[in-house]
């Protein structure tokens, strides 16, 4: 890495930490303002955990920024005891006036409410500037089915149109919200996925039992064989031709659209790659659409010297056709909420194949924010919408320590007409905090492993020869 690369990385990491801290600050600000409104004692407003970086006290409240930037809290001694997170309370709870269950509910709820409001603000900003939408994915037609995969063995074919997954109608290939093929397969609740297919005039239904994904980077998520994010059917246009390659020798031209290979309709570059890799020294027949006319071109794949791969020596247009569209804030929030619902539902299902190791924690979130800040402001804004909706929903789960847990205990107090015993609350909160801490450490391990794998993949890609360095064997040197 150059000095400029290092400085850019550090700057984007600092920006990511700042964004993450603002997200936590707004959430905790909701608790703080509600507590003030309801007359609760506020001891501390902290961003981060652990030792303090800086702090000051004003009007009896200590404000601090701490070294571990993966959360925050407002210390409220009249709420459930949280000493393991917030430290010992300086105020004696017995000397403080009791507060009503309703005051506790409002105080707990305003944190998620403010996260939701921040998501809405980000969604409004994104509506103003426009959201990147890959319109090439506005299809559910399958472009590639991996050989010997569960889908191939079940009879799924390239060109089939996916109409439903587990009875839910499909609208596009990938993306947040319902109706996306890739997410519907990955987050299906059952071990066997029901796939509705339209093939010509036929409506077919397949029951396909998934297996763990064979590629390590997918971390054991369900694999059928057709649902990959780039496996949708698309036009295959040539956008580059390597000098001295079989493609150049066959007089292929930039802009040519390959519509068939060996007489079979071409739906995907992966499909053509499979044919090419099995055809060293054996001519294949490409049907080309050029200037509105179909042309048949015979081309003989050759082995490339630097990579030792059998290739045609051409590059395809990327599977992206980005359009900037004005997506309403409410639709953005709905997409994020539906995706979060589907994820939680799959996480708690024993047959979904989704586990804690597939989740992202604070480290993974920071890394995602860092990369989006470097790449595209629009995508970064959309992730902020998604992140804050997730934060709101997760905190409303009825688990001790979380805001939803505080609300549950307040409701119990409301019906019992007296608070839950403080020793019971303290024990429950301590046990839950330890369990959540273990969960976060577990998730962080996989976050770090993903980042390391991504770095190694990037380093390996940088060591690969450039297009200009690729060289092909001459036809006379090939083995017949």
């Amino acid at each position: 890495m150059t000095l400029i690369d290092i400085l850019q990385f550090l700057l984007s990491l600092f920006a990511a930490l700042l964004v993450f801290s603002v997200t936590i600050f707004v959430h905790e600000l909701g608790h703080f303002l509600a507590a003030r409104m309801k007359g609760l004692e506020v001891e501390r407003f902290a961003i981060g955990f652990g030792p303090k970086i800086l702090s000051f006290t004003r009007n009896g409240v200590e404000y601090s920024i701490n070294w571990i930037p993966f959360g925050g809290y407002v210390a409220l001694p009249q709420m459930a005891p949280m000493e393991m997170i917030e430290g010992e309370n300086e105020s004696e709870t017995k000397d403080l006036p009791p507060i009503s269950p309703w005051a506790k509910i409002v105080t707990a709820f305003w944190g998620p409410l403010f996260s939701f409001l921040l998501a809405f603000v980000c969604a409004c900003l994104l509506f103003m500037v426009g959201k990147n939408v890959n319109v090439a994915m506005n299809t559910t037609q399958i472009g590639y089915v991996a050989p010997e995969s569960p889908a191939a063995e079940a009879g799924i074919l390239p060109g089939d149109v996916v109409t439903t997954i587990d009875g839910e109608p499909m609208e596009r290939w990938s993306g947040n919200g319902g109706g996306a093929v890739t997410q519907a397969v990955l987050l299906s609740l059952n071990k066997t996925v029901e796939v509705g297919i339209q093939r010509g005039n036929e409506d077919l239904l397949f029951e396909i039992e998934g297996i763990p994904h064979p590629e390590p980077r997918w971390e054991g998520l369900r694999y059928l064989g057709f649902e990959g994010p780039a496996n949708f059917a698309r036009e295959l246009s040539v956008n580059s031709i390597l000098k001295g390659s079989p493609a150049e020798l066959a007089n292929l031209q930039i802009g040519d659209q390959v519509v068939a290979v060996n007489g079979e309709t071409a739906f995907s570059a992966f499909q053509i790659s499979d044919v090419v890799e099995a055809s060293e020294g054996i001519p294949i027949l490409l049907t080309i659409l050029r200037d509105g006319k179909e042309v048949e071109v015979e081309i003989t794949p050759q082995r490339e010297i630097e990579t030792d791969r059998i290739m045609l020596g051409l590059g395809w247009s990327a599977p992206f056709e980005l359009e900037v569209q004005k997506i309403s804030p409410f639709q953005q929030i709905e997409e994020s909420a539906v995706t979060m619902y589907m994820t939680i539902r799959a996480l708690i299902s024993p047959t979904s194949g989704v586990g804690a190791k597939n989740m992202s924690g604070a480290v993974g979130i920071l890394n995602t924010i860092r990369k989006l800040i470097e790449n595209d402001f629009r995508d970064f804004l959309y992730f902020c919408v998604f992140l804050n909706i997730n934060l709101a929903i997760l905190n409303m789960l009825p688990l001790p320590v979380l805001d939803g847990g505080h609300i549950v205990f307040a409701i119990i107090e409301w019906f019992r007409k007296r608070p839950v015993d403080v020793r019971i609350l303290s024990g429950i909160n301590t046990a839950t905090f330890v369990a959540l801490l273990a969960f976060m450490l577990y998730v962080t391990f996989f976050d770090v492993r993903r980042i390391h794998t991504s770095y190694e993949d990037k380093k390996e890609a940088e060591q690969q020869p450039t297009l200009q360095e690729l060289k092909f064997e001459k036809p006379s040197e090939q083995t017949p």
Side-chain angles (χ1 to χ4, degrees):
M1 295 178 69
T2 65
L3 178 60
I4 293 178
D5 290 334
I6 294 173
L7 290 175
Q8 183 183 27
F9 173 83
L10 292 176
L11 182 62
S12 61
L13 180 60
F14 174 77
L17 282 168
L18 181 62
V19 169
F20 193 74
S21 297
V22 168
T23 298
I24 300 302
F25 170 80
V26 170
H27 181 92
E28 298 303 328
L29 181 64
H31 293 311
F32 177 81
L33 294 178
R36 286 298 207 192
M37 181 181 69
K38 289 297 182 180
L40 275 69
E41 176 78 12
V42 181
E43 282 196 344
R44 193 176 305 114
F45 187 119
I47 301 300
F49 300 110
K52 301 169 188 174
I53 299 176
L54 59 90
S55 67
F56 64 92
T57 301
R58 180 172 296 174
N59 297 327
V61 180
E62 181 189 27
Y63 299 88
S64 69
I65 297 177
N66 303 333
W67 277 107
I68 305 174
F70 298 152
Y73 63 90
V74 177
L76 304 169
Q78 291 156 296
M79 298 282 281
M82 303 281 285
E83 285 83 358
M84 283 199 68
I85 301 174
E86 303 168 359
E88 294 292 333
N89 292 323
E90 296 177 6
S91 304
E92 287 291 338
T93 306
K94 63 183 179 181
D95 296 331
L96 295 174
I99 58 173
S100 68
W102 176 244
K104 293 180 180 180
I105 291 172
V106 170
T107 301
F109 178 72
W110 271 37
L113 174 63
F114 269 52
S115 292
F116 177 86
L117 292 176
L118 180 56
F120 185 74
V121 169
C122 292
C124 289
L125 289 174
L126 186 58
F127 175 73
M128 294 170 60
V129 300
K131 177 179 179 288
N132 289 327
V133 177
N134 183 10
V135 295
M137 287 190 176
N138 289 341
T139 181
T140 61
Q141 186 174 33
I142 298 172
Y144 181 70
V145 182
E148 301 180 3
S149 65
E153 293 176 358
I156 301 287
L157 301 174
D160 286 346
V161 176
V162 182
T163 56
T164 61
I165 301 288
D166 290 336
E168 295 294 324
M170 295 294 105
E171 302 170 353
R172 63 195 183 283
W173 196 259
S174 186
N176 279 342
V181 172
T182 299
Q183 282 73 12
V185 171
L186 294 178
L187 300 178
S188 173
L189 300 182
N190 305 313
K191 191 174 182 180
T192 300
V193 183
E194 184 184 86
V195 182
I197 291 291
Q198 185 178 37
R199 181 180 297 166
N201 295 323
E202 290 185 278
D203 290 320
L204 307 172
L205 195 63
F206 294 85
E207 297 278 349
I208 308 175
E209 184 172 332
I211 60 174
H213 205 292
E215 294 184 21
R217 67 188 181 92
W218 286 93
E219 299 177 341
L221 287 170
R222 177 188 286 107
Y223 172 75
L224 300 184
F226 70 84
E227 72 285 354
N231 284 9
F232 56 93
R234 64 185 184 93
E235 292 184 356
L236 300 173
S237 297
V238 177
N239 74 346
S240 62
I241 297 174
L242 303 184
K243 188 175 181 180
S245 67
E248 184 184 55
L249 296 176
N251 295 317
L252 287 181
Q253 300 176 15
I254 293 176
D256 284 347
Q257 181 183 335
V258 178
V259 295
V261 55
N262 289 341
E264 294 187 4
T265 303
F267 295 101
S268 165
F270 300 129
Q271 176 188 358
I272 295 179
S273 293
D274 285 349
V275 175
V276 168
E277 289 176 4
S279 304
E280 182 182 10
I282 303 173
I284 63 175
L285 188 66
L286 297 182
T287 303
I288 304 294
L289 188 63
R290 179 184 298 167
D291 298 328
K293 298 179 180 179
E294 285 193 358
V295 179
E296 290 191 342
V297 177
E298 189 176 89
I299 183 170
T300 303
Q302 296 180 27
R303 188 174 296 275
E304 196 280 318
I305 296 172
E306 297 294 328
T307 62
D308 197 37
R309 290 177 53 199
I310 303 166
M311 303 170 65
L312 295 179
L314 56 80
W316 304 107
S317 57
F320 301 106
E321 189 180 339
L322 293 181
E323 284 186 5
V324 177
Q325 298 181 359
K326 297 295 184 71
I327 307 297
S328 79
F330 300 103
Q331 182 177 337
Q332 296 175 47
I333 290 171
E334 180 187 10
E335 289 174 355
S336 298
V338 168
T339 299
M340 190 61 186
Y341 166 73
M342 292 171 63
T343 302
I344 293 175
R345 189 181 62 170
L347 185 62
I348 61 179
S349 170
T351 55
S352 70
V354 178
K357 68 177 182 178
N358 305 121
M359 302 294 101
S360 283
V363 172
I365 292 170
L366 278 173
N367 189 54
T368 299
I369 294 173
R370 180 190 64 79
K371 290 190 292 186
L372 291 174
I373 288 174
E374 289 181 0
N375 293 331
D376 195 300
F377 181 71
R378 289 184 172 92
D379 293 340
F380 159 71
L381 266 181
Y382 186 61
F383 184 76
C384 287
V385 176
F386 182 73
L387 173 62
N388 282 280
I389 291 297
N390 283 6
L391 185 61
I393 292 175
L394 283 175
N395 271 279
M396 285 302 294
L397 293 178
L399 298 175
V401 177
L402 300 181
D403 299 327
H406 288 301
I407 292 173
V408 168
F409 284 129
I411 292 173
I412 292 173
E413 178 182 343
W414 203 333
F415 280 98
R416 294 178 73 241
K417 307 299 182 183
R418 63 180 186 276
V420 179
D421 187 276
V422 67
R423 289 171 297 179
I424 296 175
L425 275 181
S426 181
I428 292 174
N429 283 333
T430 298
T432 305
F433 176 73
V434 170
L436 286 175
L437 181 61
F439 176 81
M440 288 189 291
L441 290 173
Y442 180 76
V443 169
T444 299
F445 168 79
F446 287 97
D447 279 340
V448 173
R449 193 172 75 170
R450 286 186 205 106
I451 294 171
H452 174 72
T453 301
S454 177
Y455 172 76
E456 291 295 323
D457 289 344
K458 182 180 178 182
K459 188 165 66 172
E460 183 180 346
E462 290 172 348
Q463 294 172 349
Q464 294 297 314
T466 63
L467 289 176
Q468 292 75 19
E469 294 172 335
L470 296 181
K471 300 175 183 178
F472 289 86
E473 298 175 355
K474 295 179 180 180
S476 59
E477 296 175 355
Q478 294 184 56
T479 303

